[in-house]
Amino acid sequence: MRTVKKPVKDLIAVANGERPADLVLKNAEIFNVFTGEFERGDIALVGGYIAGVGDYSGEVEYDCSGRYVTPGFIDGHVHIESSMVSPSEFARAVVPLGTTTVIADPHEIANVAGREGIRFMLDSSEQIPLNVYLMLPSAVPATTLETSGAILNASDLAEFLDHPRVLGLGEMMNFPGLLSRDEQVVAKLEMVGEGVIDGHGPTLTGKALNAYIAAGVRSDHECTTAAEASERLSKGMVVMLREGSAAKNLLDLLPAVKPEMSRRCIMVTDDRHPDDLIQLGHINQMVKMAVDAGIDIATAIQMVTINTATYFRLHDLGAVAPGYRADLLVFDDVTDWKPHAVFKAGKKVAEKGQPLFEKTLIPGTPVHRSLHIGELTLEDLQVPARSVMARVIELAPRQIFTRERIMAVPVRDGRFVAAPEENLLKLAVIERHKQTGNVGVGFVYGLGMRIGAIASTIAHDSHNLVVAGATDTDMLLAVEEIKRIEGGLAIVADGRVLGSLPLPLGGLMSEGDIYEVRVKLNELLHIARQLGVHREYDPFLTLAFLSLPVIPELKLTDKGLVDVRQMQLVPVSL
């Protein structure tokens, strides 16, 4: 995404009616984000910008009679890596849905490849018809209880601050470190200065929330209740209403969107997986959900255009008005919210749900070949038993939090073993960045898989290799398949590989198109169901969060079993 230099003289001439525009969208019902109303008129475009709105003629005219035009939609917080495709393929998926700008946090790839991961996201989004702005990841690694591929301190991040598409500091997950005035956290806050700082402060309230905001954090996407959102709005924060694949909070938060505070509300997806992007949509689906739930159309559009642009100080985005960039959506109606056409910088880039541009890939990208795992043996997967009782990770349907379950686990030769007939699988997290040899082993209850093993290199936040299985031998085979495909997803059973999906870009993203990824994901899901995985669980989505040691109660990292409530390692055996 290269920002076109504003053609000031041409804009003046066209706006003043002295020469025809390059392109005019004629006879449109144009949404005015400042008044909240639709107004009939023409939109004159020149050099990628809007010269004027009113009565204009152009070298080319596009008839919008009976159609509605809005600014392009903006996703205020997204991890592109969660789409499992490259930034250019992500653009091919979301631009036809009306998203013309995203504020991306490259937290996932940065945990794998550090500064090279950030550079990859910037470089690979340079030539695509989607505005991709970055917030620098503030927590790499998220905790000291895991091994990530990099450690990014303030000095490591500072080199990116002068990049025109870097807007500030990404979600400040380490709020305990902020509240305790940890030197590294404070250094990152001070590094950004007056720049934008996004938040991630679940459960913070009262004086602790005051301190969080006073330190410079200005937004939060982790609200799950209207009360949480209202408190943040009352203290001047911007609330990001989230509707992702894992966390879905939009409808619960809508009661907080009151007229007097709606201009500090924006919409974000955070994480959306291929099936949801294709089946449901992107920001356009959130607009439809909000309107169908009773939010007026004007407020809904403002939350995905001017509100977001204002918060991130993108002063020429988010409106159909003179001097703004010509990122425009044309709708046949304002009920299904599927754009008839999408214009990016004054050029039509999508029509009738299809992109009009090709995917681009950067050859020789540094995020290839990101797996560094030595030889793994059956001995590495053993868990000594001091008694028959053990701490087990218990799943919660449709949630990313887990519970601690104290239960009897079968013991053989002084070691705990899986009991798939009792809904108990062995779980392992294998360090895959630095070849340390670290292997954390525990047990997970509730997934339902009767035979086989599943493995993934998508394992938040450090993205080590996570594998769950009914037998140690199948777990090892799944790991070997992951190594063979250089990162991705795999399912095995009875000594055979049943399916896999290569994700060679950091072990997180495919080089193929999103439809191919979706087909393969659905094939793997079907196989997992045949192996017994319960329907309330997406096996790979579930697996991805079992290693995230910032979400209660029990999680597993390459360093061992983590009691998140105490933020310390605990033994499996009691």
Side-chain angles (χ1 to χ4, degrees), residues 43-301:
I43 308 168
L45 313 181
V46 60
Y49 286 80
I50 299 170
V53 177
D55 182 12
Y56 287 96
S57 60
E59 300 286 351
V60 177
E61 296 185 348
Y62 185 91
D63 187 18
C64 291
S65 297
R67 291 186 170 131
Y68 302 82
V69 175
T70 73
F73 293 162
I74 306 173
D75 188 341
H77 175 74
V78 62
H79 303 285
I80 292 175
E81 305 95 313
S82 293
S83 70
M84 298 187 194
V85 291
S86 67
S88 66
E89 182 61 22
F90 174 78
R92 282 173 51 81
V94 303
V95 169
L97 300 172
T99 303
T100 56
T101 300
V102 299
I103 317 300
D105 185 336
H107 173 88
E108 315 300 349
I109 194 65
N111 263 288
V112 173
R115 287 178 292 181
E116 289 301 321
I118 298 173
R119 290 191 191 101
F120 167 75
M121 296 303 282
L122 286 168
D123 292 345
S124 60
S125 58
E126 188 71 23
Q127 301 287 351
I128 62 177
L130 172 71
N131 301 319
V132 179
Y133 292 95
L134 260 57
M135 299 294 283
L136 297 174
S138 67
V140 177
T143 74
T144 59
L145 299 172
E146 57 196 317
T147 305
S148 68
I151 297 174
L152 294 180
N153 295 318
S155 58
D156 301 307
L157 297 172
E159 68 174 90
F160 296 100
L161 285 177
D162 291 334
H163 195 287
R165 290 194 283 121
V166 171
L167 303 181
L169 192 63
E171 51 183 313
M172 178 49 66
M173 292 190 292
N174 189 4
F175 60 83
L178 182 152
L179 296 174
S180 65
R181 298 174 292 284
D182 176 88
E183 288 187 10
Q184 283 294 334
V185 172
V186 172
K188 290 174 184 176
L189 296 171
E190 292 176 341
M191 171 199 71
V192 177
E194 295 303 311
V196 181
I197 302 174
D198 280 344
H200 174 118
T203 73
L204 280 179
T205 188
K207 290 183 177 179
L209 180 59
N210 289 343
Y212 194 57
I213 299 169
V217 180
R218 289 291 179 262
S219 69
D220 199 349
H221 66 273
E222 287 293 334
C223 298
T224 59
T225 67
E228 279 184 302
S230 295
E231 182 182 12
R232 282 152 177 74
L233 288 168
S234 73
K235 294 177 184 291
M237 292 188 95
V238 165
V239 168
M240 297 176 167
L241 288 73
R242 173 177 58 187
E243 189 74 12
S245 289
K248 303 176 185 294
N249 310 117
L250 175 65
L251 296 180
D252 290 334
L253 300 182
L254 285 181
V257 184
K258 299 176 180 177
E260 60 271 20
M261 295 190 289
S262 68
R263 290 302 294 269
R264 292 200 309 282
C265 297
I266 69 178
M267 295 188 193
V268 309
T269 59
D270 197 5
D271 297 283
R272 280 231 174 174
H273 298 150
D275 198 57
D276 284 345
L277 285 172
I278 294 169
Q279 191 81 10
L280 302 177
H282 194 232
I283 291 295
N284 64 320
Q285 183 236 1
M286 297 184 67
V287 172
K288 177 174 172 53
M289 286 178 64
V291 172
D292 288 350
I295 294 293
D296 67 273
I297 288 176
T299 298
I301 297 175

